[in-house]
């Protein structure tokens, strides 16, 4: 029986994360393999047929972005119909009556050109395209192909237009309320859901520092009205860098921009608490409210946090891994089960973590690796939230380690046999035992998937093999990885820090919000709700 999920992506940075996520999904397919995939791809994908009777397998996905944000990607895609050549179109008007205006040229980078070349397309996964220098929008590194109904463009606003920025919560609300947008978008949601045999809920990826926060809130309210019994898991994503401000006048504007972001975040978190089943903020910036703050550090990873192409890849790797629990075959665990485990006492906000890559030596085993592990097992990727080791509810997923690497065989066991962990017979048992020793009063749920994370092109080449440059001669194609979702008192600290920042702001000074229908009383109510949510994370409430 199916257990389908519909994914929605709203906003440009969310689509950066989504592009990596769908690339990872595509590269995890195993065609004609003697070792079938552990992952049930039908959860996130749908089968279709083109007009030429060709079978397709595309993401069950709806995404939204602004005008001029798609790069060379056609709005309807090219999977079902070829891109029309305007020069060959027949028109019925007289030639002298026609005025031709050329739009901005959409030049494809080398990666995208090779994808369209029947010969080169078979080689793209093994080539290095130096995408750091050629990626401007998320479609520049998109390997996956979409269904024609996937992409929705907001016609009223242009990407990176400083004169009419799409930057405040009410603007997103207003776009949703336009009849053309809301009817078209909700029709697409309904069409996807009607195709499903056993639809279980939604994954949301959304920008939450700009007007897409308002659009997402309106969409969530619609979903809660129409599909109240379905689970809704929201991943608000925050960039890890904003444009540098040098000029003194621009610095003044930057302070205002920072405040606008905080207001958008407060309003959207309040709505996520009201209309989602659970939300998990994501960023590789350690602070994330007015400014992202210093980037998170990962061993054996040298990434440029100012590049959305890099930072979004880390978030996508985490997302793909932490959602495996309700996407693996031969499991009855659902999205609803995940949410039920982590939202006790109305704790709807959770945190996420990652260890990328999970460091295990080629000639080592998991027991030796964990026995010699120094420091935290994972790094938080939720802003203003440093995860502790006590009183947590957490789901941990480890992927990419085979059972034969569990421990030394009896003929080579040595001193390992003296360790309690040597009695473990599976990776799941051993990791669960390790967590029971290293966390206090914590409920741990462990998932193990043996297939690693594929990091072939177009995934960034930012891995560092213990300081060496081996990857230049031996490209890394897959990695073991650990990721998790956590709920504990530290999430209350995150909410308190956002509440503190938002409380400093006088909403009446920001006309963009008041003219959009958000007055002082609305903002005060929002702050009160955030404070109430924060109180749910007091230790004396639970565990």
């Amino acid at each position: 029986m199916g257990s389908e999920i519909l994914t929605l992506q709203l906003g440009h940075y969310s689509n950066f994360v989504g592009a990596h996520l769908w690339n990872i999904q595509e590269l995890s397919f195993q065609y004609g393999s003697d070792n079938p995939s552990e992952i049930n791809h039908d959860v996130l994908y749908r089968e279709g047929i083109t007009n030429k009777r060709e079978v397709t397998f595309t993401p069950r996905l709806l995404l939204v972005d602004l005008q001029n944000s798609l790069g060379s990607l056609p709005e309807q895609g090219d999977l079902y119909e070829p891109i029309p050549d305007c020069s060959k179109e027949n028109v019925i008007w007289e030639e002298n009556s026609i005025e031709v205006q050329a739009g901005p040229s959409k030049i494809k980078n080398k990666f995208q050109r090779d994808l369209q070349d029947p010969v080169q397309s078979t080689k793209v996964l093994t080539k290095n395209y130096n995408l750091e220098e050629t990626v401007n929008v998320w479609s520049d590194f998109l390997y996956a192909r979409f269904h024609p109904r996937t992409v929705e463009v907001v016609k009223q606003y242009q990407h990176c237009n400083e004169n009419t920025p799409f930057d405040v919560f009410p603007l997103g609300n207003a776009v949703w309320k336009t009849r053309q947008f809301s009817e078209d978008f909700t029709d697409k949601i309904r069409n996807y859901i009607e195709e499903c045999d056993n639809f279980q809920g939604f994954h949301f990826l959304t920008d939450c520092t700009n007007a897409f926060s308002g659009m997402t809130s309106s969409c969530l309210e619609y979903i809660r009205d129409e599909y109240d019994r379905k689970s809704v898991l929201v991943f608000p994503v925050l960039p890890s860098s904003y444009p540098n401000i040098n000029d003194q006048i621009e610095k003044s504007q930057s302070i205002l921009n920072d405040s606008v972001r905080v207001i958008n975040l407060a309003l959207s978190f309040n709505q996520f608490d009201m209309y989602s089943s659970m939300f998990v903020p994501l960023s590789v910036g350690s602070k994330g409210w007015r400014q992202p703050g210093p980037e998170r550090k990962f061993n054996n990873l040298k990434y440029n946090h100012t590049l959305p192409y890099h930072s979004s890849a880390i978030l996508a790797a985490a997302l793909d891994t932490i959602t495996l629990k309700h996407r693996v075959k031969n499991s009855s665990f659902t999205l609803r089960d995940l949410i039920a485990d982590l939202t006790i006492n109305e704790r709807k906000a959770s945190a996420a973590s990652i260890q990328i890559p999970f460091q295990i030596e080629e000639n080592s085993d998991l027991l030796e690796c964990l026995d010699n592990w120094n420091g935290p097992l994972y790094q938080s990727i939720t802003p203003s939230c440093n995860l502790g080791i006590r009183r947590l509810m957490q789901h941990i997923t480890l992927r990419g380690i085979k059972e034969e690497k569990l421990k030394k065989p009896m003929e080579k066991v040595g001193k390992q046999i003296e360790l309690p962990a040597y009695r473990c017979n599976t990776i799941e048992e051993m990791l669960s035992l390790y967590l029971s020793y290293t966390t206090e009063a914590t409920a741990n749920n462990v998932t193990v998937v043996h297939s690693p994370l594929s990091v072939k092109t177009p995934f960034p080449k930012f891995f560092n093999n213990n300081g060496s440059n081996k990857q230049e001669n031996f490209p890394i194609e897959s990695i073991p990885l650990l990721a998790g979702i956590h709920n504990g008192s530290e999430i209350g600290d995150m909410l308190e820090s956002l509440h503190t920042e938002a409380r400093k702001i006088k909403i009446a000074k920001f006309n963009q919000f008041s003219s959009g229908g958000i007055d002082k009383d609305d903002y005060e109510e929002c702050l009160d709700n955030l404070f109430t949510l924060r109180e749910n994370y007091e230790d004396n409430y639970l565990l």
Side-chain angles (χ1 to χ4, degrees), residues 66-74 86 100-108 137 158-159 161:
L66 306 181
Q67 286 274 37
N68 298 333
S69 65
L70 303 184
S72 60
L73 178 70
C86 296
V100 178
Q101 293 185 345
S105 58
K106 306 293 194 303
I107 301 175
K108 294 183 178 182
V137 296
Q158 292 186 336
H159 179 59
N161 188 320

Side-chain angles (χ1 to χ4, degrees), residues 8-16 62-70 138 150-161 164-177 181 185 204-221 234-239 260-261 263-269 271-272 513 518:
L8 295 100
Q9 294 167 198
L10 295 94
H12 199 65
Y13 188 64
S14 294
N15 288 325
F16 261 91
L62 282 173
L63 68 85
V64 188
D65 218 322
L66 306 181
Q67 286 274 37
N68 298 333
S69 65
L70 303 184
W138 52 269
T150 290
V151 179
E152 186 78 24
V153 173
V154 177
K155 310 295 185 183
Q156 302 95 313
Y157 294 91
Q158 292 186 336
H159 179 59
C160 290
N161 188 320
T164 55
F166 194 59
D167 60 346
V168 295
F169 189 96
L171 293 179
N173 273 331
V175 169
W176 179 269
K177 291 176 182 177
F181 182 90
F185 200 72
F204 265 81
L205 266 172
T206 175
D207 290 10
C208 53
T209 60
N210 53 37
F212 282 105
S213 59
M215 180 184 292
T216 301
S217 298
S218 295
C219 185
L220 284 170
E221 186 174 358
V234 178
F235 295 100
V237 295
L238 289 77
V260 167
R261 282 193 286 269
I263 297 171
N264 289 331
L265 283 159
L267 293 170
S268 59
F269 277 31
Q271 297 293 97
F272 299 160
F513 292 92
I518 298 174

Side-chain angles (χ1 to χ4, degrees), residues 419-437:
L419 300 174
Y422 195 79
R423 294 192 288 272
C424 296
N425 294 315
T426 65
I427 290 174
E428 182 178 339
E429 284 183 34
M430 188 172 290
L431 183 55
S432 298
L433 180 65
Y434 178 85
L435 291 169
S436 71
Y437 276 102

Side-chain angles (χ1 to χ4, degrees), residues 450-470:
H450 297 119
S451 57
L453 180 84
S454 176
V455 292
K456 297 178 181 178
T457 301
F459 202 86
K461 309 300 181 186
F462 51 24
F463 298 101
N464 175 27
N465 277 339
N466 296 318
S468 72
N469 291 320
K470 289 182 180 180

Side-chain angles (χ1 to χ4, degrees), residues 363-376:
N363 298 319
S364 182
D365 54 69
L366 183 62
L367 195 159
E368 182 181 7
C369 171
L370 293 175
D371 191 44
N372 295 321
W373 195 277
N374 291 317

